[in-house]
Amino acid sequence: MPIPNKLLYDLIHTELSDIVGPEHITRRRVDKLAYASDNSWVSQMWIDRGQEPPTADFVLFPHNAHEISEIIKVANTYRIPVVPWGGGTGSQGAVIPLYGGIIVDLKRLNRILEIDEESLTVTAEAGIIGQKLEWELNERGLTLAHYPASEYAATLGGYICARGSGTLSTKYGKAEDMVMWVKVVSPTGEIIETLPVPRHASGPGLLELFVGSEGTLGVIVEVKMRVDPLPEERRFRSYLFQDLDKGIEAGRQMMIQRLSPCVIRLYDEVDTKKYVKRVLSLDVTGSYMVVGVDGSREFTEVLWKKIIEICEGLGGEDLGSEPGQRWWDHRYDFYFPPFVRALPKLHGTIETVTTFKNIRPLYYAAKEIIEKDYADYGAYFFAHFSHWYPWGVMVYAQFMIDEPPQDPEEALDLHNRIWADAAKCFISHGGVLNEHHGIGLKLGWLMRKQYGAAWPDLVKIKNALDPNGIMNPGKLGFGPPK
Amino acid sequence: MREFERHLDTINSCRFCPMCRHVCTVGEAVHRESVTPKGKGLTLFTILKGLQTFDPGVAEVMYQCSLCQLCLEWCVGNWDITGPTLEARRRIVSLGREPPQVRQMKAHIVDQGNPYGGKREDRFASIRHVEAKKGGSVLYFVGCGTAYRRPEIARAALAVLEAADIDYSILPDEECCGAYLDVMGYGEEARTFAQRNVDRFKASGCHTVILGCPHCFYTIKEMYPQWGVKPPKGIRVVHSTTYLRELVMQDRIKLGSLEGKATYQDPCRLGRYCGIYQEPREVIVSFEGLDLVEMRWNREKANCCGYGSGLAITFPRLADDIAMERIAQPKKTEAGFLVTACQSCKTAFVNHLSPEDNLNVLDLVELVAENLA
């Protein structure tokens, strides 16, 4: 809720300033606007069209958990929102300060606290940028093995809060599979820790409560992650399948045979034509797949034989190792302008995950909805399949309209309608709202539909932990502060 | 604001792109979104959209950049945010809204010929032979940073020139090259200084101008012509590292032997701006017994020391924070010598090393001067 008057605003500023020091708090317009958008299309479109975006009242840069605890206590006193901010790279608007309040930028909490080379774990503060952590680990022959496209800017805490995935998640898992322990400042200001290890039979998983919580249940301030040794070798191969179904079947076979490839990245025919050509300069027709393995030479040799058998058995044309290696070397190029999908186009990443049994019906149903129902707008649909599980696969589905309405309200409405139709389609086909980008402000209203009868229980947990509703209100479907 | 039209593609590309966040020299020191290339792009975009104005907060953000161009090095799309940033500074100056410390720096340069406020007559107070050497065919342009902060570099340069039996001279009335005026948004004043310096070059009769400071070198060699202030034909403008390499290769000077390891800090203006990476390394490896060990990030991807482009004067605490972080890399190499080729880099490192670090920070010309055979 807005702070009711200037005097109170200045008094709160004094209190907050006393906690972090005057040089670590700002209420300048230039800073507020810098924290008014993330990587979400909606927040960017709003500014692109010259609309006044929601902004925070204050942006704070605390240095430790104690300061964050004190900030949260002040926020509870005045019942003003607290929005934790890591890298601001999320695509669902999870850090947009919808109700104003305090943005807590965590990037000063960037210390590596321990690298345990015996157990292969790293403990670090939540605000460290992923790439910087990775470089430090690499110097010791280790890797976090989490390679999201946002690695150059996203933070460790953000990885956990959004249940992120990296490009090698098929072998190494999502961030949620790597996290072992977190320290959290609760919505009432207590500094709490989860159990020291993630596997136990000591009651429900407290750790799980914070994973994917998107800042609504507290501020993650420290994280312990599993790490891996840098592999002796990592190699790639590319195949071109006649159609998407053949490619999906090849991936399924690799997974149900438990072959443990580090990556299977399968592009549908539209994505192959448009983006593989644009970024990888590969002009091919069909469904393009990059597959990779890593580990010791002996291990990868065995895997390769099996993978080649599967791909060639399904008619995959072997394009050799060079395109796959080029993809790996340039895997983030897709996300730089001018290659990144960006304004003025209207676009959205509506990725989901489901079982192998459901994936084809889900994909084709979503494609039909977007391309038929929104044909008047020239909408098109394309996808790649890049996070594979023993039981299913994620489809990184996207929609795009090259020339969307210029009116911001009309554009927003269109964006929301397309996304909602796709999301409902996913739910009805056994999928989920989202696989690794999160919910944010974008999909919160659909959480009730997704969770059904279980949704009120999630709300009760939120209300119990955060009685004033100050933590990142308006996200995950939890509504405004009390 | 027509002046921003030519920067629109860059502004639009940077405004929502975080892909260089991890290497932004200033962003990684202050951890604020607004100071990163993304933040600067977004700030300018929102100004153009009428969502904010060039207020003091915007002015501070635009001046908090070391112009190191490391972001550009990492940018797949090759978008250079320093262009719009410098444009913004010029706009801010035209509105009279530059931060007071920027205005003071300009006043120092205009009044005393240097950005530090040192007296004009004290420019060469710590450098010997100045009066004795006039009219040589090779002109050594000392530069403000060297003259007022690191005169030992100038002394070393003169010692090397003497050892090589070069007929050298120094401009007795030398003053600022104009680099800092230009990057702070005072283009007109920068051109005035440029013209005066070029007139002095002409009058000196020299055929070569050696610059020890990469800022001076880049400005005189690359920017003067862009400003329409061309050095006279026949005068060669060269950085000291290139000149040293030539002296070594031509056997004009003989290097002694040195035991141990040296690491080299690529100054932003010399490396990324001018592409000079190899020459200083070739001089280092010319010392018998001295091994060159590279820092994790070197050459095109070398990190900025934080002191360049006037940042150490306008935002000294910020510059110190950057330097403090930067010093970790040379320490990790376990080299005994940290060699650079920029007075700003040297000052940044000297200010943040302690005796226990056992790291001898030297400009390349000092390494040569102290170890001639």
Side-chain angles (χ1 to χ4, degrees), chain A residues 409-479:
Chain A
E409 290 169 18
E410 194 183 341
L412 177 63
D413 181 60
L414 177 61
H415 195 261
N416 285 343
R417 278 191 288 131
I418 296 176
W419 205 310
D421 286 351
K424 288 173 191 169
C425 170
F426 294 159
I427 291 172
S428 67
H429 282 80
V432 289
L433 281 179
N434 198 273
E435 196 263 356
H436 69 269
H437 285 118
I439 298 298
L441 60 82
K442 186 73 196 175
L443 300 172
W445 65 284
L446 291 163
M447 288 284 274
R448 185 188 308 273
K449 183 171 182 59
Q450 174 168 269
Y451 277 88
W455 175 244
D457 289 334
L458 275 181
V459 175
K460 284 176 198 164
I461 292 171
K462 162 72 173 173
N463 289 341
L465 289 176
D466 185 11
N468 291 320
I470 61 160
M471 290 307 306
N472 206 7
K475 313 298 165 50
L476 283 188
F478 286 139

Side-chain angles (χ1 to χ4, degrees), chain A residues 267-321:
Chain A
Y267 296 81
D268 73 359
E269 292 91 338
V270 178
D271 222 359
T272 298
K273 200 73 202 158
K274 278 181 116 50
Y275 293 102
V276 173
K277 180 180 178 184
R278 189 173 175 200
V279 181
L280 297 178
S281 308
L282 207 58
D283 191 5
V284 291
T285 301
S287 192
Y288 174 76
M289 175 191 281
V290 175
V291 58
V293 295
D294 66 11
S296 68
R297 178 164 282 276
E298 297 90 327
F299 178 70
T300 58
E301 288 287 351
V302 174
L303 282 189
W304 266 136
K305 280 184 189 163
K306 296 265 187 193
I307 288 169
I308 291 168
E309 265 176 39
I310 290 169
C311 291
E312 293 187 351
L314 286 158
E317 180 190 343
D318 186 356
L319 300 179
S321 60

